[in-house]
């Protein structure tokens, strides 16, 4: 064991090291963006209303609290 020569260290070019670092930073930023997008999409309760539902809501609003049609509201 004492007779074995130490193995030389492998050389990695600086350009490759910079590229790895840049890719890691990009991956972290991308992951954070995706997490923020998921949080935002969960927070939004935007629902596309169907025409029938829209008409029903409009009529309910027009009928008012007591079920009387108010001409002023239309």
């Amino acid at each position: 064991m004492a007779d074995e020569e130490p193995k030389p260290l492998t050389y990695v070019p600086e350009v490759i090291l910079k590229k790895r670092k840049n890719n890691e930073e990009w991956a972290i930023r991308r992951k954070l963006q995706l997490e923020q997008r998921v949080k935002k999409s969960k927070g939004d309760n935007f629902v596309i209303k169907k025409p029938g539902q829209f008409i029903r809501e409009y009529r309910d609003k027009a009928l008012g609290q007591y079920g009387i049609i108010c001409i002023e509201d239309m």
Side-chain angles (χ1 to χ4, degrees):
M1 289 198 167
D3 296 337
E4 293 180 13
E5 294 182 20
K7 295 181 181 178
L9 297 175
T10 56
Y11 173 74
V12 179
E14 186 177 353
V15 174
I16 294 175
L17 294 175
K18 286 182 179 181
K19 184 72 173 173
R20 282 184 193 169
K21 182 180 178 183
N22 189 22
N23 286 342
E24 289 172 359
E25 290 172 355
W26 181 85
I28 291 170
R29 280 196 314 260
R30 180 74 176 144
K31 185 177 178 182
L32 291 174
Q33 287 176 350
L34 290 174
E35 288 174 359
Q36 289 175 353
R37 188 179 303 155
V38 168
K39 287 179 185 178
K40 183 179 178 185
S41 67
K42 286 183 180 178
D44 290 342
N45 291 331
F46 178 74
V47 178
I48 298 175
K49 296 183 179 182
K50 297 178 183 176
Q53 182 184 3
F54 181 77
I55 292 170
R56 229 176 291 120
E57 288 180 6
Y58 183 77
R59 286 183 184 157
D60 290 343
K61 181 182 172 188
L63 287 174
Q65 183 178 3
Y66 302 106
I68 302 170
I69 296 178
C70 299
I71 298 173
E72 295 171 2
D73 292 341
M74 294 192 159

